[in-house]
Amino acid sequence: MKGTVHYELRGDIALMTIDNPPVNPLSSGVRQGLSDGVNTALADANVKAIVLTGAGRAFIAGADISEFGGKAEGPSLHDCLTTMENSPKPIIAAINGTAFGGGLEVALCCHYRVIAASAPVGLPEVKLGLLPGAGGTQRLPRLIGAQKALDFILSGDPIPGPQATEMGIADALADGDVIESAMAFAADIIAKGSPVRRIRDEEDIVAKDRGNAEMFDAARKNAARKMRKRFAPEMIVQCIEAAVNLGDFDAGMAVEQECFGKCLKHPQRESLIHMFFSEREVSKIPDVPKDTATQKIDTAAVIGCGTMGGGITMSFLNVGIPVTTLEMNQEALDRGIGVIKRNYDIQVQRGRMTAEDVDKRMGLLTGTTNFEDLGSADLILEAIYENIDVKVDTFKKMDAVAKPGAILASNTSALDIDKMAEATSRPESVIGLHFFSPANIMKLLEIVRGGKTSKEVIASSMKLGRQLNKIAVLSGNAPGFIGNRMLAGYTRQAGEIILQGATPYQVDNALLQFGMPMGPFQMNDLVGLDLGWRARKLSGMKPEDVPITARIADKLCEMDRYGQKNNRGYYIYPEGSRAGQADPEVVALVEETSAELGIERRSIEDEEVLKRCLYPLINEGARILEDGIAIRPCDIDIVYINGYGFPEVTGGPMFWADQIGLDKILADIKGFQEEYGGAIWEPAPLLERLVAEGKSFASLQG
Ligand code: 3H9
């Protein structure tokens, strides 16, 4: 059995300490220990009260997530909690650290709670596609009221100890050591002979909201808007509604059990738990051990203060890392710094930041037009435009000024890191740090190791990712790395499908319904259609050589339709709105282009749209794994969810592929190959091998 609970006597108080490193989840051994400990205390006439705490940094991190979906040993959590709550001897939770999910629910079954100021409490189950299934949906509203409980459980966000005390979740904030405070609290209760307080018996607070249908309607609407396509939020609302309206704790618990069971069986739960473990897995790099030495990155220099450079600079400033930003001339520098300041000012207007926060961040920023000024930075990162010759030249300059040991990084989204490394005298210090736009917001950081990048530089960059509050995924050095290499097929298919019969609006809508935050044509409008068009013109490409999938975008640009930036692209954007409207003129243009290219249009089902856009991601993902560019399938899942908006509830493209069945996907790919041909539909050898062996991508996880 996993985990244990230590039991010791301190006078007439039993101290039980949960010990299941590193974060004390409620694994089988912990449940057994809780049950045994409480029974021992109950059987000992000398024990007058029990204090329950956790060893290490957590009180209890919740149920053991790895047990879900399997057969669990030991007593059930519910039996444990019933024993605890029914105890005639008072149990006081000494919440020393993180009390999440089932951990907070254990504390709510205790009769009193004393909390350390540094201890966060939360019910994050919704993030895993679950709901608090150990009485949390019934006890919390009885303690703090239905509205606060709805907000707390539906957000899943933790709150710190002082706020928990203020809200009434904890009875007392520890003064100094939390165990000592809880012991004193227990002694006081014993001395006063205070009765045990069972939250389950309290009806007064919930009774106030009985029949308040508006509150639940509003919660439902809000959840549907914020957590599109999620199953658990509605289940949570139903449980809290039961806590308020049924007037009977056990009847409410029955509703909670039923709803929890539905969540547990729902595929979203499996996907979201896959995400939880994957987010942690991607930080593990087989040939870069955990104890690899890392370099300190206390100062950074960013070359280029345009959209990407500015966003990257903000990421550093936000976590207190001073940045020197370099631009080619004073005007560009002033413009770039002005945009950063404006972005922060908007945050102040929205109440997300104070003017002092902005001053603090801007105080960490220095602008320069002189390369020499970058010499003292621990990390120099270039964020200039995507041209390998210009990048190589920039790396030569970086190498010339950087101090020994400094990390030299490129924000390229596709170009060869080794070529840049070769231009320096220290290829071991060169690495790709591919941020996603807007860089100060997007969670993903794709870290690209070159052939000679040292392990220390890789470990330092992964650590930097965590410091910047990003999820860092390591990629090998190949064109497009992980994300953009996969994306190529997706956008190309979308382009082909509209030439064959669908409208851009049908394609976007199908992908929106699938759960993407926007469709490929909405994305093109957002990025700007003119970027590719201008690049093609500059390169001297003849119109007849423009790939057919880019023809419509180029024609739109010829009509001065560049996308959102001038309110017209594939969509029309009414002034001041980002919600585009379909335009019959674009449909006519698409039809005309099909005719020009001799393509006969036909009706295309949404299902085909989805398969043709999404299966190339999986096929290319398989190649990326085979080439060793991504370490594991879950690395691809994390990249796609955090960098490209692939719906979280699918668990990412590779996990989703396993759910559908690789054999079915391969059969469809072969069908498309027969119908349309082209390298894109060439089945990846790894996919064929896995299907032949009856295996899944998950079998490669290791
Ligand atoms: C629940 O409670 C349902 C109940 O309502 C109903 C029951 C009937 N289980 O994140 P870290 C592992 S649902 C198993 O790197 P940190 C984690 O995988 C649960 N393992 O540390 C990692 O393993 P490894 C509700 C868990 O300090 C290691 O611990 N609770 C669990 O940055 C360290 O984790 C949650 O959703 C777990 N519950 O953050 C809380 N938690 O080293 C989920 C962690 O092998 N957990 N591990 O990679 C967290 O949010 C963070 O882990 C926590 C610590 C804040 C606790």
Side-chain angles (χ1 to χ4, degrees), residues 426-508:
R426 42 180 139 184
E428 69 285 355
S429 298
V430 174
I431 196 155
L433 295 180
H434 177 205
F435 288 77
F436 287 69
S437 187
N440 52 318
I441 292 173
M442 294 290 284
K443 288 290 279 181
L444 182 65
L445 178 63
E446 205 176 22
I447 297 186
V448 188
R449 76 190 291 175
K452 292 193 177 153
T453 312
S454 75
K455 291 183 181 176
E456 287 73 20
V457 168
I458 295 172
S460 309
S461 301
M462 295 295 290
K463 191 171 156 209
L464 173 71
R466 281 193 295 279
Q467 216 180 328
L468 297 177
N469 298 317
K470 308 272 181 211
I471 300 180
V473 177
L474 190 70
S475 167
N477 180 33
F481 314 132
I482 298 174
N484 282 345
R485 174 166 163 188
M486 285 167 66
L487 187 69
Y490 169 83
T491 41
R492 208 162 340 121
Q493 277 305 297
E496 272 183 29
I497 292 167
I498 62 169
L499 287 171
Q500 290 165 353
T503 67
Y505 315 117
Q506 182 197 344
V507 173
D508 280 351

Side-chain angles (χ1 to χ4, degrees), residues 22-216:
V23 290
N24 302 330
L26 291 158
S27 316
S28 50
V30 173
R31 298 193 300 272
Q32 187 68 57
L34 281 174
S35 221
D36 292 348
V38 173
N39 284 324
T40 305
L42 291 182
D44 184 344
N46 294 324
V47 173
K48 301 281 186 303
I50 302 166
V51 167
L52 177 67
T53 194
R57 65 186 196 258
F59 174 66
I60 302 170
D64 185 336
I65 302 171
S66 62
E67 284 184 356
F68 289 137
K71 202 176 159 341
E73 287 179 275
S76 79
L77 183 57
H78 283 269
D79 288 347
C80 267
L81 296 186
T82 307
T83 308
M84 287 173 65
E85 192 169 47
N86 288 343
S87 160
K89 298 182 183 181
I91 306 181
I92 295 97
I95 306 177
N96 55 303
T98 309
F100 281 1
L104 178 55
E105 291 174 294
V106 167
L108 293 176
C109 281
C110 294
H111 306 111
Y112 301 96
R113 289 150 294 282
V114 177
I115 192 166
S118 59
V121 301
L123 292 172
E125 285 88 341
V126 69
K127 298 182 184 182
L128 301 174
L130 284 170
L131 53 86
T137 66
Q138 303 305 301
R139 290 192 181 88
L140 194 67
R142 284 178 161 79
L143 196 57
I144 64 172
Q147 183 62 62
K148 283 187 186 153
L150 279 166
D151 295 343
F152 190 73
I153 299 177
L154 284 170
S155 82
D157 292 335
I159 55 168
Q163 199 181 334
T165 315
E166 213 173 280
M167 277 172 83
I169 293 177
D171 299 286
L173 190 62
D175 183 13
D177 183 75
V178 68
I179 296 178
E180 293 311 320
S181 293
M183 285 286 175
F185 193 97
D188 191 46
I189 281 181
I190 297 169
K192 287 183 182 147
S194 310
V196 292
R197 180 190 178 195
R198 295 189 181 99
I199 298 172
R200 57 167 291 145
D201 296 336
E202 300 191 2
E203 284 293 316
D204 293 357
I205 294 180
V206 274
K208 285 186 202 146
D209 282 315
R210 211 149 281 164
N212 182 351
E214 296 89 63
M215 177 170 62
F216 294 104

Side-chain angles (χ1 to χ4, degrees), residues 135-321:
T137 66
Q138 303 305 301
R139 290 192 181 88
L140 194 67
R142 284 178 161 79
L143 196 57
I144 64 172
Q147 183 62 62
K148 283 187 186 153
L150 279 166
D151 295 343
F152 190 73
I153 299 177
L154 284 170
S155 82
D157 292 335
I159 55 168
Q163 199 181 334
T165 315
E166 213 173 280
M167 277 172 83
I169 293 177
D171 299 286
L173 190 62
D175 183 13
D177 183 75
V178 68
I179 296 178
E180 293 311 320
S181 293
M183 285 286 175
F185 193 97
D188 191 46
I189 281 181
I190 297 169
K192 287 183 182 147
S194 310
V196 292
R197 180 190 178 195
R198 295 189 181 99
I199 298 172
R200 57 167 291 145
D201 296 336
E202 300 191 2
E203 284 293 316
D204 293 357
I205 294 180
V206 274
K208 285 186 202 146
D209 282 315
R210 211 149 281 164
N212 182 351
E214 296 89 63
M215 177 170 62
F216 294 104
D217 284 350
R220 283 192 166 91
K221 280 200 191 104
N222 206 17
R225 188 171 51 80
K226 284 195 180 150
M227 287 174 276
R228 208 160 67 91
K229 296 198 176 283
R230 292 289 183 106
F231 179 75
E234 167 58 27
M235 295 292 100
I236 289 171
V237 176
Q238 283 184 22
C239 290
I240 300 179
E241 225 168 8
V244 168
N245 290 335
L246 297 185
D248 176 76
F249 181 82
D250 291 328
M253 280 301 283
V255 173
E256 186 187 91
Q257 278 319 285
E258 197 191 331
C259 292
F260 186 77
K262 285 184 189 164
C263 290
L264 204 56
K265 281 194 217 109
H266 199 281
Q268 288 188 4
R269 190 272 305 164
E270 222 182 314
S271 304
L272 291 166
I273 287 183
H274 165 71
M275 291 316 301
F276 175 85
F277 285 118
S278 300
E279 279 176 14
R280 282 145 186 87
E281 191 66 15
V282 294
S283 65
K284 297 168 190 156
I285 301 163
D287 67 330
V288 181
K290 224 174 155 185
D291 56 2
T292 304
T294 53
Q295 297 169 220
K296 278 211 307 195
I297 303 178
D298 290 338
T299 54
V302 178
I303 303 173
C305 199
T307 308
M308 277 317 290
I312 294 169
T313 297
M314 289 174 76
S315 298
F316 284 107
L317 300 179
N318 289 347
V319 297
I321 300 178

Side-chain angles (χ1 to χ4, degrees), residues 256-427:
E256 186 187 91
Q257 278 319 285
E258 197 191 331
C259 292
F260 186 77
K262 285 184 189 164
C263 290
L264 204 56
K265 281 194 217 109
H266 199 281
Q268 288 188 4
R269 190 272 305 164
E270 222 182 314
S271 304
L272 291 166
I273 287 183
H274 165 71
M275 291 316 301
F276 175 85
F277 285 118
S278 300
E279 279 176 14
R280 282 145 186 87
E281 191 66 15
V282 294
S283 65
K284 297 168 190 156
I285 301 163
D287 67 330
V288 181
K290 224 174 155 185
D291 56 2
T292 304
T294 53
Q295 297 169 220
K296 278 211 307 195
I297 303 178
D298 290 338
T299 54
V302 178
I303 303 173
C305 199
T307 308
M308 277 317 290
I312 294 169
T313 297
M314 289 174 76
S315 298
F316 284 107
L317 300 179
N318 289 347
V319 297
I321 300 178
V323 179
T324 304
T325 176
L326 177 126
E327 259 299 349
M328 293 202 298
N329 55 53
Q330 194 61 41
E331 197 192 333
L333 185 62
D334 291 344
R335 195 172 43 240
I337 293 179
V339 171
I340 292 177
K341 174 75 169 55
R342 248 194 325 281
N343 285 340
Y344 279 138
D345 287 342
I346 292 171
Q347 298 300 313
V348 175
Q349 281 159 24
R350 292 186 180 156
R352 293 187 190 142
M353 219 180 238
T354 64
E356 292 78 59
D357 292 334
V358 177
D359 289 346
K360 214 157 122 197
R361 284 166 172 76
M362 292 308 290
L364 295 172
L365 180 61
T366 311
T368 184
T369 55
N370 183 1
F371 249 95
E372 301 293 325
D373 293 338
L374 311 186
S376 61
D378 296 325
L379 165 86
I380 308 182
L381 181 145
E382 67 76 20
I384 59 173
Y385 67 96
E386 293 282 64
N387 175 303
I388 190 65
D389 297 332
V390 185
K391 297 237 185 220
V392 162
D393 195 44
T394 305
F395 265 81
K396 284 185 187 151
K397 291 185 189 153
M398 286 155 73
D399 188 30
V401 297
K403 68 180 181 187
I407 297 175
L408 307 184
S410 170
N411 176 52
T412 180
S413 61
L415 300 176
D416 189 348
I417 292 296
D418 285 333
K419 277 215 172 103
M420 301 176 218
E422 278 160 22
T424 72
S425 59
R426 42 180 139 184

Side-chain angles (χ1 to χ4, degrees), residues 133 146 603:
S603 112

